[in-house]
Amino acid sequence: MTLYTKFLLLGLIFFLGNLLLPCTSIGQSTSKLSDEDAFFIKKIYNTALKDPIGHQWLDHICTEIGGRLAGSSNAAAAVTYTAQMLDTLGLDVSLQPCEVPHWERGATEIVKIINSPTQGDIPLRALALGNSIGTGNKGLTAQVVEVQSLDDLEALGTKGLAGKIVFFNRPMDPTQIRTFNAYGGAVDQRVYGASRASKYGAIACLVRSMTTRKDNYPHTGVQVYEEGVKKIPSLAISTMAADKLSEMISQEATTVYVKNNSRMLAPKTSHNVIGEWKGSNHGDEIILVGGHLDSWDVGEGAHDDGAGCVQAMDALRILKACEYIPQRTLRTVLFMNEENGLGGGLAYAKTSNEKNEFHLAAIESDAGGFSPRGFACSAEETVFTSRFKKLLESFSLLESYGLYLENGGGGADINPLKSQKGLLIGLRPDSQRYFDYHHTEIDTFDKVNQRELQLGAAAMASLIYLIDKYGL
């Protein structure tokens, strides 16, 4: 198993595991908190909403820089820009090197049903999945076999799949209220489908896009090749294209032509961007707030995860504007390579552990810039209950802002810090529209509402304030 495959699997195991964890609120606080705390949190919200600097930063990241796949020139430009912005806040700014994969999509993908006796050729909108190999310039043509799950492959076997294109068409479950649970229930076919199909002789893989919406925008995303298994091209098609392909398969033997020119190049060195504000009394305890700076190459990476990055930056900007003096060290970290390798998160945790640092809390925003609904927490089992209950004592101050506190959360980039036994916290915005845009060309700046974005930054700044003042 290659190093990057290990990185991907670590992140995916964490991410999918947390999607399916039960999220249960634990108790209610009866502690009496001071009016001073309530007034200060109100000041945080006023500052965030009256002075939407984060929204301005996001505008530049999205519209001036654009998609920021790790290893690309756009990713490097985003590192430079965000480091400059953190410097303007008076933070101690540093760039932390991390090795990242360098994958290129290549020319526009072509997928089409060909030579249908009833309808002729039918184009299907598609995007190569992250880290996929290409078909070569000639493309490939084969009959398509539709399946609903990875288990279906075993039933069909080599006899039914050799020389064929496998089409995974299991949709996300629209009845799930939290759409991340629906995503977790369907994404295995995207991540592992190509290698599983290749074991039975399939020559390519098509996957229904990970969204509940019916549209013609394909959704890319990472896929993982199993070591020792022949690599085959793997592409996602839009939900409308998937429905059309399924309809045609049900009516007649269907042949599809696939062409993509994706390729993996030599790894590159990129950087995490770190901005630090040293604490006054407990400087050896760190409260981290972050998001991931990389995004897929299509679209502008606005909700995933430009929004999370600017919220993390803005959280410290807001506290400075409120003339707050932190007791603990506050650190904004913009991680590189969450999407197709997790290089930044692993490099950060490795260096932190080597320095014997202690992260009392790590807060990540990586679920879109929609209206914040609450936070979800996780930690090493021996400390979770005590730390969670301690946070709950002061969290009642945020309930009036419509926020809840749950167990069962965190984030892919901060999860490697779990061994330090601090609290890992994920911001949970409203999830209903997230997968409309996730990993698509329409994840653009205009889809992010300024007020909703700033409310998320205020929620994170308020949580930092409570943890810093009362500890865990």
Side-chain angles (χ1 to χ4, degrees):
M1 183 179 291
T2 66
L3 182 60
Y4 286 119
T5 300
K6 290 180 181 177
F7 285 3
L8 290 168
L9 290 176
L10 282 170
L12 288 164
I13 288 168
F14 164 77
F15 185 57
L16 296 178
N18 274 284
L19 293 180
L20 301 177
L21 281 173
C23 298
T24 307
S25 297
I26 300 178
Q28 294 292 329
S29 169
T30 57
S31 299
K32 293 182 179 179
L33 301 166
S34 69
D35 289 341
E36 177 187 357
D37 293 327
F39 282 123
F40 192 82
I41 290 174
K42 178 60 176 173
K43 186 176 182 181
I44 286 174
Y45 272 81
N46 289 348
T47 302
L49 295 172
K50 288 181 179 179
D51 195 10
I53 299 298
H55 193 253
Q56 296 173 29
W57 289 334
L58 183 63
D59 188 0
H60 183 94
I61 290 171
C62 292
T63 63
E64 298 299 321
I65 297 175
R68 305 169 298 280
L69 191 60
S72 69
S73 58
N74 280 13
V79 167
T80 299
Y81 173 73
T82 52
Q84 291 171 345
M85 294 303 99
L86 289 174
D87 185 63
T88 66
L89 302 182
L91 302 176
D92 182 8
V93 179
S94 61
L95 301 182
Q96 182 182 58
C98 58
E99 188 175 89
V100 302
H102 184 200
W103 178 76
E104 289 185 347
R105 179 173 302 281
T108 302
E109 299 87 341
I110 299 173
V111 178
K112 58 184 177 179
I113 298 169
I114 61 171
N115 301 326
S116 165
T118 58
Q119 299 188 43
D121 292 358
I122 305 171
L124 304 173
R125 289 212 63 202
L127 284 173
L129 292 173
N131 299 347
S132 174
I133 66 166
T135 60
N137 289 329
K138 292 184 178 180
L140 54 86
T141 302
Q143 186 177 343
V144 180
V145 177
E146 179 178 346
V147 298
Q148 293 294 308
S149 71
L150 298 175
D151 292 339
D152 289 349
L153 300 175
E154 184 176 357
L156 290 168
T158 303
K159 183 178 180 180
L161 298 176
K164 306 289 180 60
I165 296 172
V166 172
F167 167 42
F168 290 94
N169 193 32
R170 184 169 82 256
M172 284 173 52
D173 181 0
T175 68
Q176 293 284 344
I177 302 303
R178 186 167 187 264
T179 59
F180 280 83
N181 292 342
Y183 179 76
V187 76
D188 63 332
Q189 58 194 327
R190 188 198 77 197
V191 176
Y192 306 114
S195 284
R196 297 286 183 88
S198 178
K199 289 180 179 180
Y200 298 100
I203 63 171
C205 173
L206 299 177
V207 183
R208 183 186 187 91
S209 284
M210 296 293 111
T211 179
T212 57
R213 192 163 81 166
K214 295 292 182 69
D215 62 23
N216 211 21
Y217 297 107
H219 294 234
T220 189
V222 76
Q223 62 87 44
V224 176
Y225 287 124
E226 185 177 335
E227 191 169 352
V229 177
K230 182 181 178 180
K231 297 178 180 179
I232 62 174
S234 184
L235 299 89
I237 60 175
S238 72
T239 52
M240 288 177 62
D243 288 346
K244 182 62 177 179
L245 180 56
S246 181
E247 175 191 339
M248 295 298 293
I249 292 171
S250 70
Q251 296 173 358
E252 61 192 39
T254 302
T255 300
V256 167
Y257 172 78
V258 177
K259 180 182 177 182
N260 73 298
N261 295 106
S262 306
R263 60 178 182 165
M264 183 68 79
L265 303 174
K268 280 193 170 184
T269 297
S270 189
H271 299 86
N272 296 326
V273 182
I274 301 173
E276 183 170 286
W277 184 4
K278 195 68 175 177
S280 58
N281 297 324
H282 304 288
D284 58 334
E285 296 184 0
I286 300 167
I287 300 174
L288 180 154
V289 58
H292 66 85
L293 192 53
D294 64 305
S295 75
W296 287 107
D297 51 319
V298 296
E300 297 172 356
H303 280 293
D304 186 23
D305 185 31
C309 287
V310 300
Q311 286 174 330
M313 297 164 67
D314 209 17
L316 297 199
R317 194 273 306 180
I318 292 165
L319 290 171
K320 276 187 169 285
C322 292
E323 300 181 338
Y324 182 64
I325 300 175
Q327 298 181 52
R328 294 164 174 83
T329 294
L330 308 184
R331 189 180 285 177
T332 290
V333 181
L334 310 180
F335 296 97
M336 181 56 66
N337 186 221
E338 186 271 349
E339 293 292 5
N340 69 328
L342 207 65
L346 291 169
Y348 180 85
K350 181 177 183 292
T351 299
S352 179
N353 289 334
E354 289 171 350
K355 292 180 177 179
N356 293 315
E357 291 181 337
F358 171 56
H359 285 74
L360 178 65
I363 307 165
E364 184 166 355
S365 174
D366 185 18
F370 303 101
S371 291
R373 295 289 183 253
F375 297 93
C377 308
S378 63
E380 200 274 334
E381 186 177 354
T382 60
V383 300
F384 173 75
T385 300
S386 61
R387 296 201 188 284
F388 186 90
K389 287 183 176 179
K390 179 63 177 177
L391 179 56
L392 198 65
E393 291 176 4
S394 59
F395 195 83
S396 60
L397 282 168
L398 299 185
E399 292 175 355
S400 62
Y401 293 89
L403 301 175
Y404 59 74
L405 187 65
E406 295 181 331
N407 65 352
D413 285 304
I414 60 176
N415 188 58
L417 295 169
K418 193 171 186 177
S419 62
Q420 294 187 13
K421 298 187 177 181
L423 200 57
L424 308 178
I425 306 169
L427 176 68
R428 285 200 167 170
D430 186 290
S431 72
Q432 302 313 311
R433 289 171 290 156
Y434 183 66
F435 291 100
D436 292 354
Y437 309 120
H438 187 244
H439 297 175
T440 69
E441 64 186 76
I442 58 172
D443 183 13
T444 51
F445 174 70
D446 60 297
K447 307 303 190 304
V448 180
N449 177 272
Q450 175 182 294
R451 184 174 179 84
E452 292 180 343
L453 181 76
Q454 295 301 128
L455 285 170
M460 293 168 74
S462 300
L463 187 64
I464 292 168
Y465 166 73
L466 293 176
I467 295 173
D468 184 52
K469 181 171 181 177
Y470 292 104
L472 294 175

